[in-house]
């Protein structure tokens, strides 16, 4: 059974750095055909892809947010970590991690709402 | 960077009716890399269609996808009460990135 679960702070202050962890089960982060992406969704708005990490540790980032994002993984812990620097109220959103198999997100975490406010 | 434009923004229909949702890409997309998702309030998106026309596991056959190049369509042949939701198209780009459309809300008329 494949599951993903996001964890991290529910509230961060402007200018702070956000660190989110995605803990996966039911598959290995070293599986060649799979990777994990982070995707966010501001309240009432559309989905926005942020970053992806492949099984071989290669990474790709949203062009518009690349300077603020870092994605990494710890295969032994089955965890993928996303950091986003210099948080702003416009970054308030539900943050999802999702398994990417081929070209699609076939399994998603439940999401975690992060609010940016002083 | 490819932009996906979904239309209409909102579709008001009654149960039993047919829903036709459009996803238009700013440049040609490989059909292999076009997917559709359904999202209900308070829930994560769920994969419906991948490869433009293949249903994901457990997806009823009233959902179908079609299209190629820059124009793709998701069709729900007969709307069930549980189908009223927001639908997103997604493509996987050559830069190994994902792009989502802005979504179409299917609401009860």
């Amino acid at each position: 059974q494949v599951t993903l679960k996001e964890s991290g702070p529910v509230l961060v202050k402007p200018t702070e750095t956000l660190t989110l962890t995605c803990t996966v089960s039911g598959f290995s982060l070293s599986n060649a055909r799979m990777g994990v992406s982070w995707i966010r969704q501001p309240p009432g708005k559309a989905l926005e892809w942020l970053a992806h990490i492949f099984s071989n540790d290669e990474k790709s980032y949203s062009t518009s947010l690349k300077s603020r994002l870092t994605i990494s993984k710890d295969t032994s812990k089955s965890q993928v970590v996303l950091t986003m620097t210099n948080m702003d109220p416009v970054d308030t959103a539900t943050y999802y991690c999702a398994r990417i198999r081929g070209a699609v997100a076939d399994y998603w975490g439940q999401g975690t709402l992060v609010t940016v406010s002083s | 960077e490819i932009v996906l434009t979904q239309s209409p923004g909102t579709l008001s229909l009654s149960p039993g009716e047919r829903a036709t949702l459009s996803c238009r890409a700013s440049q040609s997309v490989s059909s292999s890399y076009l997917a559709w998702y359904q999202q209900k309030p308070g829930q994560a998106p769920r994969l419906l269609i991948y490869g433009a026309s293949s249903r994901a596991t457990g997806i009823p056959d009233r959902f179908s996808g079609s299209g190629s190049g820059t124009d793709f369509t998701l069709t729900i042949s007969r709307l069930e009460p549980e189908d009223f939701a927001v639908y997103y198209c997604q493509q996987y780009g050559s830069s190994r990135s994902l792009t989502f459309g802005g979504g179409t809300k299917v609401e009860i008329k």
Side-chain angles (χ1 to χ4, degrees), chain A residues 39 41 45-47 49 54 58-60 63 96 100 103-106 108-109, chain B residues 1 33 35 37 39 43-45 47 50 88 90 92 96-98 100-102:
Chain A
I39 297 154
Q41 185 173 38
K45 296 189 177 181
L47 301 165
W49 174 79
F54 296 81
E58 287 187 41
K59 296 134 186 174
S60 62
T63 303
Y96 295 99
I100 306 299
V104 297
D106 62 350
W108 295 65
Chain B
E1 188 169 307
Y33 296 152
Y37 301 83
Q39 187 179 33
Q43 297 184 16
L47 176 65
Y50 64 94
Y88 293 96
Q90 170 251 311
Y92 182 81
R96 303 185 302 171
S97 62
L98 276 68
F100 291 92

Side-chain angles (χ1 to χ4, degrees), chain A residues 38-91:
Chain A
W38 284 94
I39 297 154
R40 71 178 179 180
Q41 185 173 38
K45 296 189 177 181
L47 301 165
E48 179 185 20
W49 174 79
L50 301 176
H52 181 80
I53 190 161
F54 296 81
S55 58
N56 63 359
D57 213 38
E58 287 187 41
K59 296 134 186 174
S60 62
Y61 295 98
S62 163
T63 303
S64 60
L65 294 168
K66 185 173 184 176
S67 64
R68 299 173 54 205
L69 297 173
T70 302
I71 191 170
S72 62
K73 67 182 172 81
D74 184 330
T75 301
S76 65
K77 293 183 178 179
S78 295
Q79 292 181 333
V80 175
V81 176
L82 180 77
T83 62
M84 180 180 290
T85 61
N86 194 25
M87 293 293 284
D88 183 271
V90 300
D91 296 314

Side-chain angles (χ1 to χ4, degrees), chain B residues 17-71:
Chain B
E17 288 193 296
R18 181 184 188 90
T20 303
L21 287 66
S22 172
C23 176
R24 179 160 291 176
S26 59
Q27 54 187 282
S28 186
V29 172
S30 168
S31 296
S32 298
Y33 296 152
L34 194 288
W36 290 91
Y37 301 83
Q38 176 193 67
Q39 187 179 33
K40 297 179 181 179
Q43 297 184 16
R46 176 175 71 144
L47 176 65
L48 294 177
I49 301 287
Y50 64 94
S53 60
S54 298
R55 277 186 299 276
T57 303
I59 302 303
D61 60 7
R62 63 180 181 272
F63 290 92
S64 63
S66 63
S68 63
T70 60
D71 291 299

